[in-house]
């Protein structure tokens, strides 16, 4: 990973207000970026505080680099709307059973709620920057040497992932997710309406990095164990059918290795290519 100056962003503005952009955060030099960071953002279309929290995450991406900040918007919990409970105002399919499982498993108590590199859930967006910069300063014991995602026919996604030789013993699980960007209300309908901070519905809201599905047979990942310096080639291959309501040109793959002790060891994102 290319190293760039790492900054601590202390956010003052985290909700809709008239504070000038220049007053939203203080930038302090903190050394170099060592690795990318996964942000699991438990959100929902009926969550009025979620758009402001999403803005904070996007600002972190803009400031620290999209390759270094990898968010996944997991529509789940009481504020998500799924096909099973659609109403006239919320005709979307952004919520998933898998997302609800993660929401329950990790004990998310409020929304917006995020987990940064699988750390303790954070409910105050003012704390995102400090948690992110702390994780970015850590050295990854392993990286993905190869990560390919293709959909030659637009009907199936094929993914190949090959971890590097680790610098320490690895006992982890590999999770591979499909996410989608640029989901919005095409044609002026309210399929993807989002409630905003003032409670008003925004039919033109654009949803990014939305969790669509997991590719591993185990929802919490496939086991990966390798000794430090062990030069055996381990390759993971996955395939999944493209759902009719996904747009292949907007799909990406997020893959990460994690364990209970250390959280996320490494994470990467790549576009699905045609």
């Amino acid at each position: 990973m290319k190293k760039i100056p790492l900054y601590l962003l202390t956010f003052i503005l985290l909700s809709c207000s008239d504070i000038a952009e220049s007053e939203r955060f203080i930038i302090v030099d903190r050394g170099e970026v060592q690795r990318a960071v996964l942000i699991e953002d438990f959100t929902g279309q009926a969550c009025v505080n979620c758009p402001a929290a999403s803005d904070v995450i996007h600002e972190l991406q803009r400031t620290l680099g999209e390759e270094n900040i990898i968010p996944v918007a997991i529509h789940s919990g009481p504020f998500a709307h799924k096909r099973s409970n659609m109403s006239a105002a919320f005709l979307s399919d952004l919520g998933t059973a898998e997302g609800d499982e993660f929401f329950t498993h990790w004990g998310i108590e409020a929304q917006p709620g995020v987990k940064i590199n699988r750390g303790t859930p954070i409910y105050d967006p003012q704390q995102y920057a400090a948690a992110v910069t702390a994780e970015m300063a850590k050295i990854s014991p392993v990286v993905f040497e190869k990560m390919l995602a293709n959909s030659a026919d637009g009907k199936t996604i094929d993914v190949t992932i090959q971890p590097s030789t680790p610098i320490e013993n690895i006992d982890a699980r590999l999770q591979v997710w499909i996410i989608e960007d640029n989901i919005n209300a095409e044609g002026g309908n309210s399929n993807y309406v989002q409630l905003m901070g003032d409670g008003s519905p925004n039919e033109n809201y654009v949803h990014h990095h939305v969790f669509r599905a997991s590719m591993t047979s185990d929802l919490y990942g496939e086991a990966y164990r390798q000794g430090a310096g062990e030069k055996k080639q381990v390759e993971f291959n996955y395939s999944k059918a493209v759902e009719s309501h996904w747009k292949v040109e907007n799909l990406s793959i997020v893959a990460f290795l994690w364990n209970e002790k250390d959280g996320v060891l490494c994470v990467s994102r790549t576009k699905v290519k045609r």
Side-chain angles (χ1 to χ4, degrees), residues 98-170:
E98 291 172 310
D100 280 341
E101 162 63 25
F102 294 138
F103 182 93
T104 300
H105 179 85
W106 297 119
I108 303 301
E109 298 176 350
Q111 289 171 283
V114 306
K115 285 177 71 68
I116 294 174
N117 270 359
R118 284 279 154 92
T120 302
I122 298 173
Y123 303 105
D124 182 357
Q126 294 187 63
Q127 299 176 11
Y128 294 179
V132 163
T133 51
E135 288 298 314
M136 293 178 86
K138 298 177 181 178
I139 296 175
S140 290
V142 62
V143 297
F144 295 128
E145 214 164 59
K146 179 169 70 173
M147 185 169 163
L148 304 173
N150 298 286
S151 182
D153 58 4
K155 298 178 180 179
T156 303
I157 300 170
D158 297 305
V159 174
T160 298
I161 297 171
Q162 189 177 86
S164 66
T165 299
I167 61 175
E168 62 183 56
N169 294 339
I170 299 294

Side-chain angles (χ1 to χ4, degrees), residues 39 41 43-45 54 58 70-76 80-81 92-96 99 177-184 192 194 205-214 245-247 250-254 269:
I39 301 179
D41 177 20
T43 186
Q45 289 171 261
S54 181
H58 292 155
I70 301 178
V72 178
I74 304 174
H75 287 252
S76 54
H81 290 262
S92 78
D93 48 26
L94 299 185
T96 63
W177 289 348
I178 300 169
I179 66 171
E180 185 172 358
D181 287 301
N182 299 315
I183 300 174
N184 58 16
Y192 301 108
Q194 172 69 49
Y205 191 86
V206 181
H207 300 272
H208 291 288
H209 41 76
V210 173
F211 173 85
R212 283 304 201 181
S214 175
H245 53 287
W246 303 351
K247 290 189 175 181
N250 293 335
L251 297 179
S252 294
I253 300 300
V254 170
R269 168 178 170 159

